[in-house]
Amino acid sequence: MDGSTALRGMVDQNYRHNARHLTAELQWFRLVVETRYKLFHGQSCNFSDIAEIPIPSLNGHVSIYQQFLTKTEISWQERLVLILAIAPHIQPYILDDFLLTIDPKFVAERFMNRQAGLIPTVETALFLLAGDDLESRFLYEQIFDADALLIRENIVSLDYESHHSSRLNARLVINQDFLSLFTSGKNFKPDYSHLFPAKRITTVHEWEDLILEEQTANQIAEIKAWIEHGDTILYEWELIRKFAPGYKCLFYGSPGTGKTMTAALLGKLAGMDVYRIDLAMLVSKYIGETEKNLRLIFDTAHNKEWILFFDEAEALFGKRTEVKDAHDRFANQEISYLLHRIEEHPGIVILATNQRNQLDDAFTRRFQTIIQFSMPSKYERLKIWQNGFSKRCVLERAIELEQIAEKYELAGGSIMNVIRYASLMALEAGSNVVMLKDLMTGIQREYIKEGKYL
C-alpha cells in the first residue's frame, strides 16, 4: 500500500482528532519504555513481553493518523517505530525520560548523539522491540530494509552520520509531509533553508502571457500531454516495464526567455507545486556535501506531486572533468549520483541552463525533451510590448512600439523590466502616461546589464 496515496483526500480532518490519537499512542509508548526497562533489569513487571501490552484501538474519532494505520495495515512493531520517530517532534521530553531509565554508559554508546536530548536510532527501536534477544532483533531489523513499508514509502528514513556508519547507529527521521499530516492535518510545504535549498515558485500569468516561437510552444505541448496522459501510458497501457517513470526535460536559452515562467505555468496547469532548486546553496565547496544536499532534495520530493526545477544547471551538471585530484573524483561521483536519482525519480524534473554546450552528454541522453528558448523575434517582441502595459496607462504619442520592437533586441524578461520602470516613472510623476524618455532609459538600463550600449 502506498502510504502517501492513502493520505490523499484526508487533510480536511480535524487536527484535534490527530492530537487525541497521538496522545494515546504516546501513552502506549511510555508503557513500552517502562516495561522494557523492567524486563531488561529483571524487575517485577505486569508483562512478560512488550507484545502483551494492549495496543490503542483509536476508536471514537476519525483522524488522518488512524486512517493511515488502517489503510497501510501497518504491524504493531512498525507502529512502535513510527511513534518513536514522531515523538521528538511532538513531545521531545518523553525520550529524555527514556534516557534517564537506562544505564548511562549503555545509552552513551548506543543511543546518544551530539545534539541535546535523545534522538532515536535503529538501535533505539531494536532495543525497545527486542531487548537483547538476538533472534527477535534479527527479525525486527527487517523493518528497516529498503523494501519494507516505512522505508519504501519514505515514511521514515535513516540518517547516517557517514557512509561508513553502521545501520544500527542511523537516526530515525520522520518524513515532514507525514508529520505535518499526522499533526496539523495539512500537506507539508517545506520552507527555503540550508536543509531544503529550494523555493516554491508560482505565477499569476496565464499561457497567453507566454510569447514563444512556434517550435518551442509545440515542444512544451508535449510536456502538457504527458501531464494529462502519462499515468495512462504507464499503467493502463502497461508500459511501466518499458518506460522509466516520470518526465525529464532540459530548457536552454538566454536569461529572460521564459524558462522559469514556463516551469511555473506547467505546475499551475498540473496542479503541482514547483520547487526551484537554489544551486548556490546546493553546490558545496566541501567534498561530499553536494551529494548529501541532493539526497535531501530528492528524498523530500519522493512520492510528492512536485515539479523539480534545477535552474542554472551548468553550475552543478557541467561536463565531467579529468580526475586530477580528490575534488575531481568526488565531483564526478556527485554527477553520477545525480544521474541515478534523476533517472529513478517518478515525477517531472526540469533542468534549465543558459549554455547547453556545458552540459555532460550523459545528461542530455536522459531527457525526453530538449527545448531551446530563443531570443524573441521582432514579431514576438512586439507582442510582448503590446501585452505588457497595463490597460490603465496611456502611451505617449511619440512611442511607436513597432519600431522599438524591431530596433532593440531584448528578451521577454528584459522588456518587462523596461515596462515596470517606465510605469513607475509615470506614477512617480503623478500621471498614467508612459513617456518615451522613460522607456528609452529603461532600455538603456537593460543594455548596460548585458554589457551593451545603445
Side-chain angles (χ1 to χ4, degrees):
M1 165 68 69
D2 183 331
S4 181
T5 301
L7 294 179
R8 290 183 187 134
M10 304 178 190
V11 296
D12 58 342
Q13 298 296 328
N14 195 310
Y15 67 90
R16 294 186 180 89
H17 296 169
N18 280 334
R20 291 188 183 101
H21 288 166
L22 286 172
T23 298
E25 293 288 275
L26 289 170
Q27 291 171 347
W28 171 53
F29 178 77
R30 288 192 191 92
L31 188 54
V32 169
V33 170
E34 178 184 340
T35 301
R36 175 54 65 204
Y37 171 83
K38 292 180 177 179
L39 292 174
F40 183 75
H41 289 287
Q43 298 180 2
S44 176
C45 184
N46 294 330
F47 306 99
S48 61
D49 190 278
I50 65 167
E52 299 173 3
I53 301 174
I55 302 171
S57 62
L58 305 185
N59 292 326
H61 301 282
V62 176
S63 71
I64 292 177
Y65 183 75
Q66 175 202 46
Q67 294 190 14
F68 167 82
L69 298 179
T70 301
K71 288 184 176 293
T72 57
E73 299 179 349
I74 191 172
S75 68
W76 72 265
Q77 294 93 343
E78 292 168 323
R79 184 168 165 178
L80 183 65
V81 172
L82 178 60
I83 195 62
L84 173 63
I86 292 173
H89 302 275
I90 59 176
Q91 203 170 92
Y93 298 112
I94 195 172
L95 293 178
D96 291 338
D97 293 340
F98 177 39
L99 172 62
L100 296 175
T101 64
I102 307 297
D103 183 342
K105 293 182 180 179
F106 181 75
V107 174
E109 291 178 6
R110 307 176 80 172
F111 303 142
M112 290 293 292
N113 67 54
R114 292 170 294 184
Q115 301 182 41
L118 178 66
I119 303 298
T121 65
V122 171
E123 174 61 30
T124 314
L126 292 178
F127 176 76
L128 286 175
L129 287 167
D132 56 3
D133 181 342
L134 285 182
E135 183 177 346
S136 296
R137 287 174 66 89
F138 295 160
L139 174 64
Y140 296 145
E141 194 170 351
Q142 297 176 52
I143 292 173
F144 306 100
D145 289 346
D147 59 351
L149 172 67
L150 293 177
I151 306 300
R152 182 185 72 240
E153 299 301 333
N154 197 32
I155 301 163
V156 173
S157 60
L158 305 183
D159 181 20
Y160 292 86
E161 184 71 19
S162 71
H163 291 296
H164 305 293
S165 297
S166 163
R167 182 161 78 167
L168 294 179
N169 296 326
R171 291 184 284 267
L172 301 181
V173 180
I174 181 69
N175 183 302
Q176 288 294 323
D177 198 42
F178 287 94
L179 178 63
S180 182
L181 285 165
F182 292 158
T183 54
S184 68
K186 299 178 181 178
N187 286 313
F188 174 68
K189 296 184 184 296
D191 294 325
Y192 178 94
S193 71
H194 71 283
L195 294 176
F196 187 73
K199 182 178 180 61
R200 188 164 66 97
I201 59 174
T202 58
T203 182
V204 297
H205 295 292
E206 302 296 339
W207 285 103
E208 55 266 26
D209 299 319
L210 183 64
I211 308 300
L212 299 171
E213 65 176 24
E214 184 177 359
Q215 181 179 352
T216 302
N218 289 340
Q219 288 180 288
I220 292 171
E222 182 182 338
I223 307 174
K224 293 180 182 179
W226 175 264
I227 290 172
E228 183 175 357
H229 304 296
D231 284 349
T232 301
I233 288 176
L234 292 176
Y235 302 109
E236 292 186 24
W237 288 21
E238 299 179 349
L239 291 177
I240 186 63
R241 292 173 294 178
K242 299 181 180 180
F243 295 156
Y247 198 91
K248 287 77 182 178
C249 46
L250 172 68
F251 293 173
Y252 74 96
S254 301
T257 50
K259 301 185 294 295
T260 301
M261 184 175 173
T262 299
L265 284 170
L266 287 170
K268 192 173 186 178
L269 173 69
M272 298 178 179
D273 288 335
V274 181
Y275 280 89
R276 178 185 179 274
I277 315 304
D278 186 339
L279 292 171
M281 290 190 68
L282 183 66
V283 179
S284 173
K285 63 181 178 180
Y286 299 106
I287 292 177
E289 284 296 302
T290 301
E291 183 174 323
K292 181 179 179 180
N293 291 335
L294 285 168
R295 185 174 72 248
L296 285 170
I297 294 289
F298 283 102
D299 285 352
T300 304
H302 180 75
N303 275 352
K304 296 185 179 71
E305 293 185 342
W306 291 353
I307 294 176
L308 296 180
F309 179 65
F310 290 88
D311 201 6
E312 299 181 14
E314 67 277 1
L316 178 62
F317 314 132
K319 291 186 176 180
R320 281 179 251 210
T321 61
E322 180 183 352
V323 177
K324 297 179 180 179
D325 55 28
H327 287 275
D328 292 337
R329 183 169 65 254
F330 273 93
N332 288 345
Q333 288 176 2
E334 288 162 353
I335 290 174
S336 297
Y337 175 79
L338 178 75
L339 283 170
H340 169 70
R341 291 306 299 262
I342 284 180
E343 201 153 34
E344 70 174 12
H345 186 67
I348 296 175
V349 178
I350 300 173
L351 274 64
T353 178
N354 299 336
Q355 298 173 318
R356 176 186 172 182
N357 59 2
Q358 289 189 12
L359 290 185
D360 192 309
D361 291 339
F363 279 98
T364 57
R365 288 195 298 268
R366 286 166 167 81
F367 296 128
Q368 277 76 50
T369 305
I370 297 178
I371 302 177
Q372 180 179 9
F373 286 73
S374 303
M375 289 289 288
S377 67
K378 62 180 181 181
Y379 303 107
E380 290 153 3
R381 292 196 296 270
L382 177 58
K383 287 183 181 179
I384 297 171
W385 282 113
Q386 291 172 336
N387 294 344
F389 290 99
S390 169
K391 294 180 180 179
R392 295 180 178 273
C393 76
V394 178
L395 301 185
E396 183 185 10
R397 287 189 177 183
I399 295 175
E400 297 184 13
L401 291 182
E402 293 84 355
Q403 290 185 6
I404 290 175
E406 182 173 5
K407 186 174 181 180
Y408 301 108
E409 296 183 3
L410 292 168
S414 298
I415 292 174
M416 294 309 300
N417 286 340
V418 175
I419 292 174
R420 180 186 292 110
Y421 172 79
S423 299
L424 282 173
M425 292 302 99
L427 290 171
E428 187 70 12
S431 171
N432 70 334
V433 179
V434 175
M435 305 300 292
L436 177 60
K437 64 180 180 62
D438 294 329
L439 213 60
M440 295 308 300
T441 300
I443 292 172
Q444 185 176 35
R445 284 156 54 102
E446 292 304 308
Y447 266 52
I448 292 173
K449 286 182 187 178
E450 299 174 12
K452 300 187 298 185
Y453 296 93
L454 294 179

